[in-house]
Amino acid sequence: MDVQPQISTVNCSVARALAVVGERWTLLIVREAFDGVRRFGDFRARLGIASNLLAARLDALVETGVMRRVPYREPGDRQRYEYQLTERGIDLRPVLIALLQWGDKHLADSQGPSVIVRHRTDPGQAACEEPVRLVLQCVGGHTPLPPHAVWRSPGPGAHLIEPA
């Protein structure tokens, strides 16, 4: 039997990503940011999260480049900050949609999902508004890819562990 070398997890991108967004509140903050929430008090009110926990999560999102702080000042008030998604944060959209699809399939209430993500067309185009779904596709254009047709192979940064 031909045994493939094992890929070391020492530099695993999944582990690195989870170090940034793997804590429960983090992706919920990102979800709210996609819905237009920008201010600390609005995040706190929408999520019901403790202020100290929210502050720590927002700090971590800024530190890792998922969000940026943008100063603002209401008339007669002190300077405060809004939190905006960066390109790195915007790139998390498919991750949230994938989690939503999985949750809808396996964990939704008997009445169905609480949220449906829909396609918003550009102004001046015919309205689409159809539900959005993620589909695995290879660079060659083959889609959809069933689970058995997808596997991990060593990439250029892989550290291989030879079989004993």
Side-chain angles (χ1 to χ4, degrees), residues 11-32:
N11 64 342
C12 173
S13 293
V14 173
R16 288 177 178 165
L18 286 174
V20 174
V21 298
E23 195 280 328
R24 174 182 183 255
W25 291 110
T26 303
L27 282 178
L28 295 177
I29 291 167
V30 171
R31 178 197 66 193
E32 294 303 315

Side-chain angles (χ1 to χ4, degrees), residues 94-135:
V95 174
L96 286 171
I97 292 172
L99 283 171
L100 178 68
Q101 281 182 206
W102 183 86
D104 287 349
K105 180 176 181 179
H106 299 287
L107 305 170
D109 290 342
S110 59
Q111 301 90 339
S114 62
V115 171
I116 298 172
V117 178
R118 296 187 181 276
H119 175 209
R120 178 184 296 148
T121 54
D122 292 329
Q125 292 183 343
C128 175
E129 298 184 16
E130 288 295 325
V132 171
R133 66 184 167 98
L134 289 180
V135 178

